[in-house]
Amino acid sequence: MNSTRVGGCILLLDVPPCSSITLDGITRVTPSSISTSASRSSCSSGFNRGLIIIDSISASSQFHLLVVRCGTSKERSNHDQNHGESLPVGFVLLSKQEGEHGVSFSTNYGYDWVFARKYDRQTEEISNKPLDDVTMRNLMLAITGQDGELERLVMPYEHFMGSPNDDKNILSWNARTSLVDQSFLLRQHNLCHGDKIIPSCESSCDNGEVWSSAYMKNRSTEIDGTSITYPPIPCIDRTMSARQLTRHSGTRTYLSALPPRLRTWLLFDGECSPPSAAQLYAAGPEEYIWNDLLNRCYDGDFHGNYFLADIQFAFIIFLFLECHSSLQHWRDALSMSSFNIISQTTSKSTRDASGENSGMFTYQSNFTLQLLSTLCAQLSCIEADFFQEVEYSSGENNFLVGALRRLCLVCGGVDETNETISLIKKESSRLEQLAWDRFHLHISTSPNLYDDFCENYAKITALESEATQPNVKSHNAKLSEDQVDIDEIDGEDGPVVVPSSEVEASISRSLVELHQTQKYRCLTDGDNEYDLRQSYPLLYAAVAPQEDLVMCCARILDDRNDVSLVREAASYLENVESHRR
């Protein structure tokens, strides 16, 4: 028995050909079935036999993420394609934990922990169930025993991540996940070692539920995996109108749970006296939102460590699991942080005796420095055309780009008063250079632009404080002429009078389309449309015009393009057949 083995060990059984295995940001693809049969006799790698063994997983990182995208049957027939079309699933791996088989079982074979899963042919995914003890014991003996028949198939963690002499990939992963640990995952997302993560496109709190840490912990967990949920993040920009602000889902959800007076004060600061809740925090709108969010959703961690860890975690889940809700949370969290930094830097209460802006850095300099360092590490691994994709960022007009620009403007324009602020300015310059070199985004930190930016923001704050009546139109009319009206940019500057003839023509077209839809989207006798939409949402959405549900199921099962859609179609046909019997 080999007693020199250290770290963790990953075992994956029956992995299909052409599957992609991603560990800590590095992806390896299993060979196709044709190349596997051709090289079976000459190659000793477990990748050619559906067996993946990775050991000596370093404990230098507290958090590891294993992502598996299994190759589909259609993709296996075409060995020129390297990546399957199935959805990726992830698994949380922690260096310090009580293993699912117990620490004693793993340490008996020289490992700190062992993670073993098997491919499930029914779901076409890696199963969420651990292997039984007998299978585990036999595998471990074959790997670590004296004979060690599987020892030659083991790939060390350093080899998987790249060259053993080059730890650049490992250091990059550690920089991106430096704050993600067992305590954070358990408190914020109720995740433990070995838990399966499935991508989600839903926002956890869009239904108006009271959002808090308790809600996040006690949310329902799916049997086949856990969908990551996040609290709503408000992004209140005082240069925008209330109508523009409430279009953002996070802002709308956050404001809907607040009392009317507090909600009015947040949207139109200065047009009413601060509520008691705001006086309790002794803060302006941006700082109130910051403190309230950290208090309610991050266990009162006002240093922002859990919040920054959530930014790191959301980015990783978005990048490797293609999770849309994680992308939204990452984007909104960065935007909210930038607004809070601006409000602190431009507020009168944070000016020192010399009149210079010390701002947020006086008590949250470490958070600001870590945020900039995290952003540099994250943007270094995004595709170069990320900000050119309209679906992700909408180019220059998206407020993710605006958040980066605000951070660089504010952090780069503050005078150096200590070593920490000096490091902040260096990280800001590095982020600005990275944005230009990698994405061709110009984020200027010139002193003139910074002074103009702070001056304009201060004008808006002063106008809000001088307002005496809650009239939105008169309030907006006081803005300086050099301020750009956001409504004019979007081309939605008020109601539009539409001729009655156009309204009647539109109604006629709608009636025709409704008649055709009701005529051709025929449901099975006895079925209720609402029940079908609730029980089979993907199947219902896939029904094409002039096609009923049975025809749609036949088409889906014939094409087999989407695993989840195939499951719903098969389940619906089984349900119909059982009722006929």
Side-chain angles (χ1 to χ4, degrees), residues 279-340:
Q279 294 176 354
L280 177 64
Y281 282 127
E286 292 85 358
E287 189 177 357
Y288 170 81
I289 291 174
W290 173 268
N291 292 330
D292 182 49
L293 187 70
L294 296 185
N295 182 51
R296 283 209 262 177
C297 301
Y298 293 93
D299 291 340
D301 178 23
F302 293 105
H303 294 288
N305 292 329
Y306 277 177
F307 182 71
L308 186 55
D310 219 16
I311 291 177
Q312 294 180 348
F313 184 68
F315 176 81
I316 292 297
I317 299 301
F318 147 65
L319 191 62
F320 298 110
L321 287 180
E322 303 174 5
C323 180
H324 186 258
S325 61
S326 297
L327 168 62
Q328 289 181 322
H329 180 76
W330 174 67
R331 178 198 63 188
D332 294 348
L334 293 179
S335 183
M336 190 193 76
S337 300
S338 68
F339 287 130
N340 187 39

Side-chain angles (χ1 to χ4, degrees), residues 96-397:
K96 298 179 181 179
Q97 41 74 37
E98 294 294 326
E100 56 198 14
H101 289 282
V103 174
S104 60
F105 178 87
S106 300
T107 54
N108 285 339
Y109 296 93
Y111 294 111
D112 296 334
W113 52 268
V114 177
F115 174 83
R117 293 291 187 271
K118 187 177 181 180
Y119 175 73
D120 189 342
R121 298 183 182 277
Q122 183 176 1
T123 62
E124 295 189 2
E125 295 176 352
I126 298 297
S127 174
N128 194 28
K129 299 179 180 178
L131 299 181
D132 59 90
D133 289 340
V134 175
T135 304
M136 277 291 303
R137 195 172 300 276
N138 291 336
L139 285 172
M140 297 307 298
L141 287 174
I143 295 173
T144 63
Q146 293 181 352
D147 295 337
E149 56 184 293
L150 296 181
E151 186 174 6
R152 60 190 178 86
L153 303 180
V154 175
M155 174 179 290
Y157 174 74
E158 292 183 350
H159 288 187
F160 186 94
M161 297 296 292
S163 173
N165 299 325
D166 185 6
D167 57 353
K168 179 178 64 175
N169 293 330
I170 299 178
L171 293 176
S172 175
W173 175 260
N174 292 342
R176 283 178 281 165
T177 60
S178 58
L179 297 176
V180 181
D181 56 13
Q182 182 179 6
S183 174
F184 160 76
L185 292 173
L186 186 60
R187 288 191 180 186
Q188 289 302 126
H189 299 287
N190 199 24
L191 291 173
C192 301
H193 175 77
D195 285 353
K196 182 178 180 180
I197 302 175
I198 54 178
S200 171
C201 61
E202 298 179 354
S203 179
S204 63
C205 303
D206 283 347
N207 55 5
E209 293 189 52
V210 178
W211 41 273
S212 62
S213 296
Y215 167 74
M216 303 296 290
K217 296 173 186 175
N218 297 328
R219 73 193 193 286
S220 59
T221 303
E222 300 292 338
I223 297 177
D224 195 41
T226 300
S227 295
I228 304 299
T229 54
Y230 304 95
I233 302 295
C235 301
I236 296 183
D237 184 357
R238 286 199 248 174
T239 63
M240 301 175 66
S241 65
R243 180 165 59 91
Q244 286 269 329
L245 292 176
T246 52
R247 292 176 185 173
H248 178 245
S249 60
T251 303
R252 185 171 59 253
T253 305
Y254 175 83
L255 294 176
S256 64
L258 299 179
R261 183 180 178 184
L262 180 58
R263 184 164 58 241
T264 303
W265 178 72
L266 292 177
L267 289 175
F268 311 108
D269 179 29
E271 297 184 359
C272 61
S273 59
S276 58
Q279 294 176 354
L280 177 64
Y281 282 127
E286 292 85 358
E287 189 177 357
Y288 170 81
I289 291 174
W290 173 268
N291 292 330
D292 182 49
L293 187 70
L294 296 185
N295 182 51
R296 283 209 262 177
C297 301
Y298 293 93
D299 291 340
D301 178 23
F302 293 105
H303 294 288
N305 292 329
Y306 277 177
F307 182 71
L308 186 55
D310 219 16
I311 291 177
Q312 294 180 348
F313 184 68
F315 176 81
I316 292 297
I317 299 301
F318 147 65
L319 191 62
F320 298 110
L321 287 180
E322 303 174 5
C323 180
H324 186 258
S325 61
S326 297
L327 168 62
Q328 289 181 322
H329 180 76
W330 174 67
R331 178 198 63 188
D332 294 348
L334 293 179
S335 183
M336 190 193 76
S337 300
S338 68
F339 287 130
N340 187 39
I341 294 176
I342 292 173
S343 66
Q344 294 296 324
T345 309
T346 57
S347 62
K348 295 181 180 179
S349 61
T350 58
R351 293 180 181 272
D352 56 23
S354 62
E356 299 293 340
N357 282 325
S358 56
M360 186 180 185
F361 311 126
T362 56
Y363 64 97
Q364 285 190 347
S365 56
N366 290 332
F367 172 84
T368 307
L369 180 59
Q370 286 182 311
L371 176 63
L372 292 174
S373 301
T374 297
L375 276 173
C376 291
Q378 291 176 343
L379 295 182
S380 298
C381 62
I382 295 184
E383 296 179 355
D385 60 348
F386 174 76
F387 291 100
Q388 298 176 6
E389 294 290 339
V390 177
E391 180 182 359
Y392 288 157
S393 61
S394 300
E396 292 280 346
N397 294 328

Side-chain angles (χ1 to χ4, degrees), residues 290-559:
W290 173 268
N291 292 330
D292 182 49
L293 187 70
L294 296 185
N295 182 51
R296 283 209 262 177
C297 301
Y298 293 93
D299 291 340
D301 178 23
F302 293 105
H303 294 288
N305 292 329
Y306 277 177
F307 182 71
L308 186 55
D310 219 16
I311 291 177
Q312 294 180 348
F313 184 68
F315 176 81
I316 292 297
I317 299 301
F318 147 65
L319 191 62
F320 298 110
L321 287 180
E322 303 174 5
C323 180
H324 186 258
S325 61
S326 297
L327 168 62
Q328 289 181 322
H329 180 76
W330 174 67
R331 178 198 63 188
D332 294 348
L334 293 179
S335 183
M336 190 193 76
S337 300
S338 68
F339 287 130
N340 187 39
I341 294 176
I342 292 173
S343 66
Q344 294 296 324
T345 309
T346 57
S347 62
K348 295 181 180 179
S349 61
T350 58
R351 293 180 181 272
D352 56 23
S354 62
E356 299 293 340
N357 282 325
S358 56
M360 186 180 185
F361 311 126
T362 56
Y363 64 97
Q364 285 190 347
S365 56
N366 290 332
F367 172 84
T368 307
L369 180 59
Q370 286 182 311
L371 176 63
L372 292 174
S373 301
T374 297
L375 276 173
C376 291
Q378 291 176 343
L379 295 182
S380 298
C381 62
I382 295 184
E383 296 179 355
D385 60 348
F386 174 76
F387 291 100
Q388 298 176 6
E389 294 290 339
V390 177
E391 180 182 359
Y392 288 157
S393 61
S394 300
E396 292 280 346
N397 294 328
N398 179 264
F399 59 87
L400 174 59
V401 178
L404 297 177
R405 184 169 285 116
R406 285 189 294 269
L407 286 172
C408 288
L409 281 170
V410 175
C411 297
V414 176
D415 293 335
E416 297 185 18
T417 57
N418 54 50
E419 183 179 357
T420 303
I421 294 183
S422 177
L423 293 175
I424 288 175
K425 291 178 67 68
K426 290 180 180 179
E427 288 297 319
S428 175
S429 299
R430 188 160 72 97
L431 178 60
E432 177 189 358
Q433 189 64 38
L434 176 63
W436 174 253
D437 293 341
R438 189 170 181 84
F439 308 106
H440 298 289
L441 286 177
H442 184 61
I443 306 177
S444 176
T445 57
S446 63
N448 293 335
L449 284 179
Y450 172 73
D451 294 339
D452 294 342
F453 182 80
C454 292
E455 182 181 355
N456 290 334
Y457 198 90
K459 286 181 181 179
I460 296 174
T461 306
L463 289 173
E464 289 175 344
S465 62
E466 294 173 359
T468 57
Q469 55 182 356
N471 189 316
V472 178
K473 293 185 178 180
S474 62
H475 172 73
N476 290 334
K478 295 180 182 179
L479 296 178
S480 56
E481 296 180 356
D482 57 342
Q483 292 295 316
V484 179
D485 189 353
I486 304 299
D487 291 341
E488 294 180 0
I489 295 177
D490 289 348
E492 300 180 7
D493 46 359
V496 178
V497 178
V498 180
S500 59
S501 59
E502 294 186 12
V503 175
E504 294 175 357
S506 177
I507 294 176
S508 301
R509 289 193 299 268
S510 300
L511 291 176
V512 172
E513 293 176 358
L514 179 62
H515 176 71
Q516 292 178 347
T517 302
Q518 293 176 346
K519 178 179 180 181
Y520 294 111
R521 181 172 281 193
C522 301
L523 301 176
T524 306
D525 294 338
D527 287 337
N528 183 279
E529 182 176 359
Y530 177 79
D531 294 338
L532 286 172
R533 296 179 66 177
Q534 294 296 319
S535 302
Y536 308 99
L538 297 179
L539 176 61
Y540 188 86
V543 177
Q546 304 182 6
E547 185 181 58
D548 60 19
L549 282 173
V550 177
M551 294 172 60
C552 180
C553 291
R555 174 174 55 81
I556 293 171
L557 294 176
D558 185 41
D559 294 340

